[in-house]
Amino acid sequence: MKPGPRSGPRRAPKKSPGKGVALVLGGGGLKGFAHIGVLRALAERGITPSVYAGTSIGALIAAAAAGAMPVDDMEERARDLKRRDLFRLNRMGIVLDRLRLPAIYLEAPLRDLCESIVPDMTFSELERTLLVNTVDLQRGTQIVWGLPGLKNVRVADAVYASCALPGFFPPGEVDGRPCVDGGVMDNLPVGIASLGMEIVIAVDTGSSAILTERDIQAHGFSAIYMRAATTMMHALQLAPLEHWAGPSMILIRPRVSHIDWFSFSRADELIEAGYRAAMEALSGFESCCDSDSGIFPRRTMHVTVDRAKCIGCTLCVALAPQVMMMDNVGKAVPWTPEVEWSTADGDFVQHCPTYAIKVTPVGEVEMENQPESLETPPLKTG
């Protein structure tokens, strides 16, 4: 039986801009500087979040925002940050401890950075609600500091732990718990941040690849590790977004896939990318306010399959049965040539092993090898 069209979001009374808004900032290394541009766009639109939540660098910037740091100051700090301010090899530990070494970089530089940016207070002392996503390394469980019962700890301690990418920086102790980067389990904690909210604004900067397959092995351990981490974060993000049943969400994915996770010379470009992506996504804020669920912005997309390239592997059908099917000669075809998608849809396209599936925004020329678009899924033809 042919699946019917995906039902649109239900209608609800119009919401007030800024009322009951949760801002969720994902991890992604220095790509997270794009979050600063998003904050500027929100300020220009007069949208003040009620809740700030984040993972890794998203937690750092969310904490700065919750502490009322001006966006201009954030931009200046981003531009001034140098590699030596963050990465200092633990040379003595490498020599003496070898395999027992908890991380290759020293804790102090990252710890000092967090202390210089984050308010020197506990979560309970903050005037704004802040949620910092981490993973309890001992128990292997997610723990979000700032939730009820988890507020009487220093914000800086939780933020350091959220930024402590395993293997790169030592775990951080928070209330006696050894904690690491929350992206290990949930890089974009929209579920917990959405409770009691009317709208969620989520910013994803960390789930897109930074190198092509033919390059990855030539770039060494760090590049391979970060590609694996990126892939893991992206996969973990798919399920909650695909089955999203929370309040209306604006999902912002700045075009930053071409920039390395730890590029210290492109702060302005990253900030601008975040600003442009946010302004475009927020142009549909009213539509989001008029709905009580769904992911926005939404756009009509044209799906085609190059039959000469299609090998009939059925992977696209397994991943997206509501969009794709197999015809009577074993070739993949879309159920309908046009579908309405948000930025969370269409991940199956990049999994095609022969790059046979193409996606085109209706009314625009076909896109080739563009992994991210301001209004379309982060896809390359595939």
Side-chain angles (χ1 to χ4, degrees):
M1 179 178 175
K2 177 179 176 179
R6 301 175 74 177
S7 59
R10 296 167 289 169
R11 306 294 290 181
K14 195 166 187 176
K15 307 178 183 75
S16 302
K19 181 181 179 182
V21 175
L23 176 64
V24 185
L25 306 180
L30 298 187
K31 293 184 182 188
F33 286 161
H35 296 320
I36 302 172
V38 172
L39 289 171
R40 182 170 293 285
L42 291 175
E44 290 183 6
R45 290 293 302 264
I47 300 171
T48 302
S50 304
V51 171
Y52 294 85
T55 298
S56 195
I57 191 171
L60 180 65
I61 294 175
M69 177 181 285
V71 173
D72 287 344
D73 289 357
M74 295 186 201
E75 291 185 357
E76 183 178 355
R77 285 175 173 270
R79 294 187 188 103
D80 290 344
L81 187 67
K82 301 295 187 291
R83 183 172 295 274
R84 64 178 178 272
D85 298 328
L86 188 59
F87 294 119
R88 296 180 198 166
L89 279 173
N90 186 355
R91 300 182 187 278
M92 186 64 69
I94 291 173
V95 172
L96 297 179
D97 293 336
R98 299 184 182 179
L99 293 180
R100 294 180 61 86
L101 188 69
I104 61 175
Y105 293 109
L106 293 170
E107 175 180 328
L110 176 58
R111 174 75 68 175
D112 291 344
L113 177 66
C114 293
E115 295 283 354
S116 70
I117 293 175
V118 172
D120 184 16
M121 57 183 65
T122 65
F123 286 87
S124 60
E125 294 170 327
L126 284 172
E127 293 185 4
R128 306 180 187 184
T129 299
L130 171 67
L131 304 176
V132 171
N133 185 37
T134 67
V135 168
D136 184 327
L137 194 61
Q138 189 71 37
R139 299 176 61 222
T141 57
Q142 182 178 17
I143 183 164
V144 181
W145 303 99
L147 290 175
L150 297 170
K151 293 186 176 183
N152 293 321
V153 299
R154 293 184 68 243
V155 175
D157 290 341
V159 169
Y160 168 82
S162 187
C163 293
L165 185 65
F168 280 67
F169 295 100
E173 185 170 302
V174 189
D175 195 27
R177 303 168 184 258
C179 294
V180 295
D181 189 340
V184 169
M185 296 188 72
D186 186 0
N187 198 47
L188 197 65
V190 289
I192 193 68
S194 70
L195 297 178
M197 295 291 103
E198 294 181 337
I199 294 174
V200 176
I201 299 174
V203 189
D204 171 26
T205 59
S207 68
S208 56
I210 58 174
L211 296 170
T212 62
E213 288 187 10
R214 64 178 177 271
D215 292 331
I216 187 67
Q217 296 184 69
H219 284 72
F221 162 79
S222 179
I224 294 172
Y225 181 94
M226 296 315 302
R227 166 60 73 86
T230 296
T231 303
M232 176 190 68
M233 290 175 183
H234 182 70
L236 289 172
Q237 231 172 253
L238 291 179
L241 294 180
E242 182 179 357
H243 304 291
W244 181 249
S248 300
M249 180 194 299
I250 293 178
L251 180 59
I252 302 171
R253 279 177 164 159
R255 300 188 66 175
V256 295
S257 66
H258 60 291
I259 299 177
D260 189 4
W261 272 52
F262 301 114
S263 177
F264 287 81
S265 61
R266 305 179 77 168
D268 285 322
E269 182 181 353
L270 287 162
I271 293 168
E272 178 64 19
Y275 176 81
R276 285 187 282 108
M279 290 300 286
E280 188 152 359
L282 291 171
S283 65
F285 189 79
E286 286 71 22
S287 297
C288 185
C289 288
D290 285 342
S291 302
D292 64 354
S293 191
I295 299 179
F296 299 85
R298 304 189 68 81
R299 190 166 187 178
T300 303
M301 310 295 291
H302 187 72
V303 182
T304 59
V305 177
D306 186 331
R307 296 178 66 81
K309 291 183 178 180
C310 178
I311 58 175
C313 71
T314 72
L315 185 59
C316 60
V317 177
L319 294 174
Q322 76 280 10
V323 178
M324 304 298 293
M325 67 175 185
M326 304 303 294
D327 66 12
N328 56 4
V329 295
K331 297 287 187 177
V333 293
W335 282 107
T336 60
E338 293 184 357
V339 294
E340 186 184 65
W341 277 352
S342 74
T343 47
D345 296 311
D347 184 75
F348 71 93
V349 176
Q350 64 184 347
H351 288 280
C352 176
T354 58
Y355 307 102
I357 305 172
K358 295 182 175 62
V359 177
T360 311
V362 169
E364 294 187 12
V365 297
E366 186 175 274
M367 296 184 301
E368 290 282 352
N369 296 317
Q370 295 184 28
E372 290 172 318
S373 175
L374 298 180
E375 288 191 79
T376 55
L379 309 174
K380 55 184 178 181
T381 56

